[in-house]
Amino acid sequence: QVQLVESGGGLVQPGGSLRLSCAASGRIFGVNTMGWYRQAPGKERELVASITSGGMTNYGDSVKDRFTISRDNNKNTLYLQMNSLKPEDTAIYYCNLRIGVNYQKWGQGTQVTVSS
């Protein structure tokens, strides 16, 4: 089973930047989608951004023009560059992998707190 481990979370001030990483334990083959989701207290988990094995990206409306998702096949790692952070970005950020329609994997999550 593929294991996903997030890192890079922490405390930053509004307007700051943070880069999250999600390392997969093994190579991911075939058509797949990796993405970042986040969940704040009292709110539903929401899509932040996703990227397919073909490089097609999708962003949630609240993070468009501020966040950038990317993946490195050689390092088997997913990234999320977060700029112009706002307090409302505070949440636990989860890495997600989907392969076909029958396989889905979640990471353990990493806390991002935006506060002055």
Side-chain angles (χ1 to χ4, degrees), residues 2 29 35 38 57 96 107:
V2 174
F29 299 99
R38 68 186 183 187
T57 59
N96 174 266

Side-chain angles (χ1 to χ4, degrees), residues 5 18 29 34 38-39 61 66 82 97 108 111 113:
V5 180
L18 207 59
F29 299 99
M34 298 192 73
R38 68 186 183 187
Q39 187 166 25
D61 290 339
R66 296 191 299 123
M82 304 185 293
L97 167 67
Q108 82 287 348
Q111 177 71 48
T113 302

Side-chain angles (χ1 to χ4, degrees), residues 16-44:
S17 297
L18 207 59
R19 187 176 188 241
L20 305 183
S21 299
C22 172
S25 62
R27 294 289 184 178
I28 302 171
F29 299 99
V31 177
N32 63 82
T33 300
M34 298 192 73
W36 291 97
Y37 291 73
R38 68 186 183 187
Q39 187 166 25
K43 298 180 63 178
E44 296 291 322

Side-chain angles (χ1 to χ4, degrees), residues 9 11 14 21 83 86:
L11 174 64
S21 299
N83 299 323
K86 306 174 180 179

Side-chain angles (χ1 to χ4, degrees), residues 74-95:
N74 291 328
K75 296 182 178 180
N76 211 28
T77 302
L78 177 73
Y79 302 98
L80 182 68
Q81 179 64 48
M82 304 185 293
N83 299 323
S84 302
L85 284 162
K86 306 174 180 179
E88 49 262 45
D89 294 318
T90 296
I92 301 176
Y93 285 70
Y94 297 92
C95 180

